[in-house]
Amino acid sequence: AQSVTQPDIHITVSEGASLELRCNYSYGATPYLFWYVQSPGQGLQLLLKYFSGDTLVQGIKGFEAEFKRSQSSFNLRKPSVHWSDAAEYFCAVGVASYDKVIFGPGTSLSVIP
Amino acid sequence: KAGVTQTPRYLIKTRGQQVTLSCSPISGHRSVSWYQQTPGQGLQFLFEYFSETQRNKGNFPGRFSGRQFSNSRSEMNVSTLELGDSALYLCASSLAVEGAPNQPQHFGDGTRLSIL
């Protein structure tokens, strides 16, 4: 069965430091991959997505992610974190039937001023 | 343009009752997906509708049902409510093209359902 894991439940970084959030998936075919961010009391916002092509994907708010097929990973990165980036981050995989997206458990990010 | 609108934002019900939640997608979007979010189970897929047809359904009991209208607005219904149904229910809309990957792009702020 398809699954998504995010090994880090919670991460704390200092403002201005770099960030990498890990995501691993289990899926037999080429997946469609997404990263979302959720601020408290709000819905999810799509940061970026990978369907095909260049494995380094640029998103909004200065985020990028790299698809590594050999490692079944799709890690999210940002070179310099801002205090406003504190939120919950979800990795998700779209399955072959195209109409179902499975979410990982999420990583909570705290930013120290 | 207006985002995804979910109503109501908050709802309190008691066990055994039923509830209907509403989701109005972004204008022109034909796909609406529903998710249940709880601290213990995270985000779980309920179902997805495209052009008034349910395309896929998650692993939820038959008490959870939905429908989509011709204007793409969607409703979700939960009957015989249980304490475990307390959750944030999110809907997402996407432009979607038949045969192309679904990508829930725009989420509403959710309906917080509390069961007493």
Side-chain angles (χ1 to χ4, degrees):
Chain A
Q2 302 85 4
S3 66
V4 181
T5 56
Q6 293 178 249
D8 304 305
I9 296 174
H10 185 259
I11 286 181
T12 300
V13 299
S14 298
E15 191 169 17
S18 63
L19 172 70
E20 182 168 24
L21 301 182
R22 296 182 292 164
C23 172
N24 294 97
Y25 65 90
S26 172
Y27 184 54
T30 300
Y32 303 97
L33 298 159
F34 311 86
W35 273 101
Y36 294 85
V37 60
Q38 184 179 32
S39 297
Q42 296 186 7
L44 279 71
Q45 182 180 23
L46 179 65
L47 288 174
L48 48 78
K49 60 190 177 188
Y50 171 78
F51 278 16
S52 64
D54 193 346
T55 56
L56 185 62
V57 181
Q58 301 298 320
I60 62 172
K61 303 186 177 186
F63 286 94
E64 67 176 27
E66 186 171 11
F67 170 55
K68 292 186 177 180
R69 185 188 303 274
S70 61
Q71 299 177 19
S72 297
S73 69
F74 189 56
N75 294 349
L76 182 71
R77 300 193 293 250
K78 187 170 185 177
S80 178
V81 171
H82 188 263
W83 64 266
S84 61
D85 293 324
E88 188 90 12
Y89 290 81
F90 294 93
C91 180
V93 60
V95 299
S97 58
Y98 298 164
D99 48 15
K100 184 174 181 178
V101 175
I102 298 171
F103 286 81
T107 296
S108 176
L109 174 66
S110 296
V111 180
I112 301 173
Chain B
K1 55 184 176 182
V4 178
T5 303
Q6 290 190 247
T7 56
R9 285 297 309 276
Y10 302 93
L11 205 48
I12 299 175
K13 292 286 187 179
T14 57
R15 284 181 296 175
Q17 288 186 308
Q18 75 166 18
V19 66
T20 299
L21 311 181
S22 178
C23 173
S24 293
I26 290 173
S27 179
H29 284 195
R30 299 165 67 190
S31 169
V32 173
S33 306
W34 287 89
Y35 295 85
Q36 181 195 64
Q37 185 176 28
T38 60
Q41 300 298 317
L43 278 155
Q44 292 188 285
F45 172 75
L46 280 156
F47 27 65
E48 189 253 357
Y49 286 88
F50 177 79
S51 293
E52 302 180 65
T53 300
Q54 187 182 87
R55 292 202 295 186
N56 207 342
K57 191 177 190 302
N59 297 323
F60 279 81
R63 300 185 297 107
F64 292 81
S65 62
R67 59 177 174 171
Q68 187 179 33
F69 302 95
S70 58
N71 62 357
S72 293
R73 188 177 72 86
S74 178
E75 288 183 346
M76 190 190 100
N77 185 75
V78 188
S79 62
T80 320
L81 286 165
E82 301 177 359
L83 292 177
D85 297 333
S86 293
L88 180 67
Y89 290 87
L90 294 165
C91 83
S93 79
S94 63
L95 189 58
V97 175
E98 197 158 5
N102 184 29
Q103 41 177 316
Q105 185 157 2
H106 300 274
F107 280 79
D109 288 337
T111 294
R112 174 75 62 184
L113 175 63
S114 298
I115 311 301
L116 303 179

